[in-house]
Amino acid sequence: MLDFAIFAVTFLLALVGAVLYLYPASRQAAGIPGITPTEEKDGNLPDIVNSGSLHEFLVNLHERYGPVVSFWFGRRLVVSLGAVDVLKQHINPNKTLDPFETMLKSLLRYQSGGGSVSENHMRKKLYENGVTDSLKSNFALLLKLSEELLDKWLSYPETQHVPLSQHMLGFAMKSVTQMVMGSTFEDDQEVIRFQKNHGTVWSEIGKGFLDGSLDKNTTRKKQYEDALMQLESVLRNIIKERKGRNFSQHIFIDSLVQGNLNDQQILEDSMIFSLASCIITAKLCTWAICFLTTSEEVEKKLYEEINQVFGNGPVTPEKIEQLRPSSFMPLVWYFRILILGHLHTSMKYLSLYL
């Protein structure tokens, strides 16, 4: 009887300890202010949904807890830095994992890294070189697309509204698809088909997964799965086509193919890069041009710098390197090329109606 009593007490204490450990409110980020998970499985995803967006959620969180806060994205602890000075203190040039990439892969149910530090470092260098090589190889393409868009703007009456976000998304789709996947996307119909599938997948990543509504709506879920399947099918065909062959145009997938990655890694990484790059490029260009055209002082400084560096000559990669260093990533080239292509004739004009 005594043995049973000891066993019962021990089991009860162990059970209480397990409950306290596993209960969401007990999951604290040691030393980092923030909130505990609302749900064990989803963490603070319900709070993000209730806030209206991740941006609003983070704004409220930093107002409550300061420049460094923590929250739970599912079962993953996330630390958010809300001040430039704090960000500078924590920048790690040797970082090999991208949390944004990890999050996207998780939402797409792809593998989230898992390699050794040396493997992740090699992949990071591979991607950086892939972006650089793709930009250099497709520089003429970027100029062509920029000039086409600028000619379209210059044909508008000064009083006509320019749907900047829409135009920048179209520009990003045309440039990124050709830089990542090649000449297949010289066909506008292929770009339109990609943009439709991209929009379906991206909208569900931003909403359907977060609030759980995707799994509850069979029609939406089928549309999402069909769109993702079509995107993957296109990528598989391109990967197969580019393997073991040489092309005059170097694209991002070529760097992955040459990097001794397996087909699934190439598929996942090119999918993540394609999805994210289109949105990042479009938003970067949109806000850069918006701020530029509403700030006469910045506009004047940029115009003077361009005159000094380019003069009356053409836009070239070598001259772009002479521009003052920017804190932006290499994708800022898109913005620079877009503006620089015909800046001498369009700067003042664009500021009138954007």
Side-chain angles (χ1 to χ4, degrees):
M1 187 68 180
L2 181 61
D3 291 341
F4 176 78
I6 294 174
F7 169 78
V9 171
T10 303
F11 177 79
L12 181 61
L13 290 175
L15 181 62
V16 171
V19 170
L20 291 175
Y21 177 77
L22 295 174
Y23 189 70
S26 69
R27 284 159 59 186
Q28 299 279 355
I32 302 175
I35 57 176
T36 55
T38 304
E39 296 182 4
E40 175 64 25
K41 179 181 178 181
D42 295 330
N44 296 116
L45 293 182
D47 302 312
I48 297 174
V49 173
N50 292 335
S51 298
S53 68
L54 178 60
H55 171 74
E56 292 296 330
F57 170 76
L58 290 176
V59 168
N60 295 333
L61 201 63
H62 283 290
E63 287 178 350
R64 288 174 58 188
Y65 295 101
V68 181
V69 298
S70 64
F71 65 97
W72 293 85
F73 191 89
R75 298 178 183 273
R76 183 183 294 273
L77 175 65
V78 178
V79 177
S80 175
L81 306 180
V84 175
D85 291 341
V86 176
L87 179 61
K88 289 180 178 178
Q89 295 173 19
H90 291 81
I91 289 178
N92 179 7
N94 297 316
K95 177 174 68 69
T96 58
L97 288 178
D98 185 341
F100 185 59
E101 174 193 353
T102 302
M103 181 184 72
L104 284 181
K105 285 191 174 183
S106 175
L107 292 174
L108 290 169
R109 298 185 173 93
Y110 286 162
Q111 300 174 6
S112 299
S116 65
V117 174
S118 60
E119 289 174 341
N120 289 330
H121 181 73
M122 289 177 62
R123 288 178 68 193
K124 179 184 176 183
K125 294 299 296 182
L126 177 66
Y127 303 152
E128 289 176 351
N129 293 335
V131 172
T132 300
D133 293 342
S134 299
L135 283 168
K136 290 180 178 178
S137 178
N138 293 275
F139 190 83
L141 167 67
L142 295 177
L143 280 178
K144 175 177 174 290
L145 294 175
S146 302
E147 290 167 357
E148 288 176 356
L149 179 57
L150 196 52
D151 287 342
K152 182 177 182 178
W153 286 353
L154 292 173
S155 69
Y156 289 170
E158 291 188 8
T159 56
Q160 182 170 332
H161 170 71
V162 175
L164 186 59
S165 295
Q166 180 182 338
H167 284 187
M168 289 296 94
L169 182 58
F171 172 79
M173 288 288 173
K174 287 184 177 182
S175 57
V176 171
T177 52
Q178 292 188 56
M179 285 185 53
V180 176
M181 295 174 281
S183 58
T184 300
F185 290 90
E186 292 176 359
D187 184 349
D188 286 345
Q189 292 303 313
E190 291 293 337
V191 177
I192 292 172
R193 191 176 296 110
F194 175 87
Q195 184 169 352
K196 179 181 177 182
N197 290 326
H198 179 285
T200 299
V201 172
W202 193 261
S203 64
E204 296 299 354
I205 287 176
K207 176 177 173 58
F209 281 109
L210 293 182
D211 61 12
S213 61
L214 181 62
D215 289 327
K216 299 174 184 176
N217 189 316
T218 55
T219 301
R220 277 175 52 195
K221 187 172 183 179
K222 186 177 186 309
Q223 290 175 344
Y224 165 81
E225 291 175 345
D226 288 346
L228 184 61
M229 183 176 64
Q230 290 182 43
L231 292 175
E232 290 180 342
S233 177
V234 171
L235 287 170
R236 284 194 179 96
N237 289 336
I238 294 173
I239 292 169
K240 182 179 179 180
E241 176 189 1
R242 308 291 291 199
K243 274 195 168 184
R245 299 177 60 188
N246 294 320
F247 295 85
S248 58
Q249 177 198 27
H250 183 91
I251 60 176
F252 182 73
I253 285 182
D254 290 336
S255 295
L256 301 185
V257 169
Q258 296 164 10
N260 295 322
L261 303 178
N262 62 52
D263 287 354
Q264 186 61 29
Q265 284 179 312
I266 297 173
L267 173 66
E268 293 182 3
D269 292 345
S270 56
M271 174 67 78
I272 296 298
F273 192 87
S274 301
L275 288 173
S277 294
C278 288
I279 297 299
I280 292 172
T281 302
K283 297 300 183 183
L284 172 61
C285 290
T286 299
W287 283 108
I289 293 176
C290 179
F291 288 134
L292 178 63
T293 55
T294 54
S295 175
E296 292 185 5
E297 181 180 354
V298 176
E299 182 180 315
K300 181 180 178 181
K301 288 181 179 179
L302 180 58
Y303 186 82
E304 291 174 350
E305 180 181 356
I306 289 169
N307 272 330
Q308 179 182 356
V309 175
F310 290 90
N312 295 323
V315 179
T316 63
E318 292 74 23
K319 287 190 175 181
I320 285 183
E321 291 294 333
Q322 297 175 27
L323 296 173
R324 287 193 291 271
S326 169
S327 59
F328 287 122
M329 294 174 63
L331 287 175
V332 79
W333 274 30
Y334 293 137
F335 155 64
R336 281 178 167 174
I337 293 167
L338 181 65
I339 292 298
L340 299 180
H342 290 286
L343 186 74
H344 297 280
T345 58
S346 64
M347 179 75 80
K348 183 176 181 181
Y349 179 68
L350 288 173
S351 67
L352 294 176
Y353 61 85
L354 288 179

